[in-house]
Amino acid sequence: MYGLIYNLRFCILLLLTILGLAVKAQLRDTLINVGNHNLHFTLMEGKGIPIIFESGAGNDGSVWLKLLEPLSNKLGAPLITYDRAGFGKSEIDTVNISLTNEVKDLKTALQQLGYRDRYFFVAHSFGGNYTMKFITTNPGQVVGTVMIDIVSPYLMTMERSKSLKREYASELDNIKKESLGFYHLVLNYEASTAVLHEVADKINVPMTIIGSGKSPFEEPDRSLFIAALKKFADQKSNRRYLLAQHAEHHVFYDEPDLVIDEIVRLYQQTEVK
């Protein structure tokens, strides 16, 4: 009897191990050539509309990894993270780098991966700029988006973008040594802000905006950041606003369940339409 129980426990343990390895095996890393450079993607296979994750300034796609397994379990959808040019394992075309060209490169890569014309986006911080440009460049193709503490056009004026760029001016040489991606992001910050103001009013897709109670700014700018994000959320009737009062800027670190549940809710809502 003892031997039978032992064998049964061993078989259960072996089965759980195999299942765990199967989940991990779903993650696939790949490099996609988009012309003059390669972009690094991490994919979790699934069925349905793919969910694309856009990271904030200075981050690569690895910031999203802890969300992938629970989202896969709940939705079974394809999940795609990537490193923008010059971050993580992605290369950079320093001659042609711009927000607009990066969005074109993302679309090229997604098509090569077999995802051609229907997408759901999750964006954080500065990644919201890229997502909004993608939406307007590819009308009718993005079915919904969850925006997490993104940069609101009501906060990021052209004058503020110039001021932020000036703040980094004395550090540019060091930044260039540490991260070519962030270096060019700073150089192009005004141009990227201009793109934000060009496209923001044109966004009509269903959207959830999750703000942090502890934004990346100190007072009085913290309160301005929160108010500007709420104003952007209130601009359209198909937008939902949530404030994670005790979370910091990376809300998905502090309150992952809130973020996961909202992604699931909006994804399922848009998928049935």
Side-chain angles (χ1 to χ4, degrees):
M1 178 64 73
Y2 176 79
L4 180 61
I5 293 174
Y6 176 82
N7 288 335
L8 181 60
R9 287 175 176 172
F10 177 78
C11 289
I12 292 173
L13 179 61
L14 181 62
L15 178 61
L16 290 174
T17 301
I18 292 171
L19 289 173
L21 289 174
V23 170
K24 291 181 180 179
Q26 292 177 356
L27 277 179
R28 175 166 67 92
D29 285 289
T30 187
L31 289 174
I32 303 294
N33 184 269
V34 291
N36 296 324
H37 61 293
N38 294 316
L39 294 178
H40 171 251
F41 284 77
T42 298
L43 302 95
M44 183 169 276
E45 306 294 348
K47 295 181 179 181
I49 299 170
I51 301 176
I52 321 300
F53 293 83
E54 273 287 0
S55 306
N59 291 145
D60 59 32
S62 65
V63 296
W64 303 106
L65 289 182
K66 289 187 178 180
L67 299 187
L68 300 189
E69 188 173 330
L71 281 171
S72 180
N73 291 339
K74 290 175 180 288
L75 292 173
L79 306 175
I80 303 173
T81 72
Y82 79 108
D83 304 334
R84 281 201 300 271
F87 294 98
K89 298 177 183 178
S90 286
E91 300 166 353
I92 186 170
D93 176 3
T94 57
V95 175
N96 299 303
I97 185 75
S98 71
L99 187 151
T100 297
N101 285 339
E102 287 189 85
V103 167
K104 291 178 182 176
D105 290 343
L106 174 60
K107 181 60 184 293
T108 297
L110 291 173
Q111 290 180 317
Q112 289 188 45
L113 289 168
Y115 302 108
R116 307 196 66 83
D117 57 10
R118 279 172 67 76
Y119 312 99
F120 184 101
F121 271 78
V122 177
H124 175 239
S125 193
F126 197 69
N129 295 34
Y130 290 82
T131 295
M132 284 191 265
K133 179 61 176 176
F134 189 100
I135 291 170
T136 57
T137 304
N138 302 281
Q141 296 187 10
V142 177
V143 300
T145 177
V146 174
M147 303 284 209
I148 304 167
D149 232 24
I150 61 166
V151 179
S152 166
Y154 294 112
L155 176 82
M156 193 52 63
T157 62
M158 291 305 301
E159 184 54 44
R160 184 181 286 268
S161 72
K162 292 176 184 178
S163 176
L164 284 174
K165 186 175 178 179
R166 287 194 296 268
E167 288 180 19
Y168 282 111
S170 63
E171 299 295 324
L172 278 177
D173 287 341
N174 290 331
I175 292 172
K176 188 175 184 180
K177 293 175 185 176
E178 293 179 6
S179 171
L180 272 178
F182 194 68
Y183 171 76
H184 284 279
L185 186 150
V186 172
L187 288 184
N188 292 325
Y189 203 83
E190 290 173 64
S192 298
T193 299
V195 171
L196 172 65
H197 284 273
E198 173 194 336
V199 302
D201 285 341
K202 302 175 184 178
I203 306 299
N204 293 309
V205 303
M207 180 187 300
T208 294
I209 297 169
I210 303 176
S212 72
K214 301 177 181 178
S215 80
F217 297 98
E218 298 299 325
E219 294 293 3
D221 287 344
R222 174 172 291 179
S223 294
L224 292 174
F225 184 97
I226 293 171
L229 195 55
K230 178 67 162 57
K231 183 177 181 180
F232 179 69
D234 291 341
Q235 190 179 34
K236 301 286 177 70
S237 62
N238 62 350
R239 294 178 186 171
R240 170 178 161 94
Y241 176 76
L242 299 173
L243 178 63
Q245 188 68 54
H246 303 293
E248 296 190 0
H249 187 46
H250 289 76
V251 181
F252 46 92
Y253 287 168
D254 295 333
E255 297 198 30
D257 290 341
L258 171 69
V259 174
I260 290 168
D261 288 347
E262 195 54 35
I263 293 171
V264 170
R265 186 200 67 81
L266 187 59
Y267 182 90
Q268 291 177 334
Q269 175 183 311
T270 56
E271 193 179 33
V272 297
K273 290 185 176 181

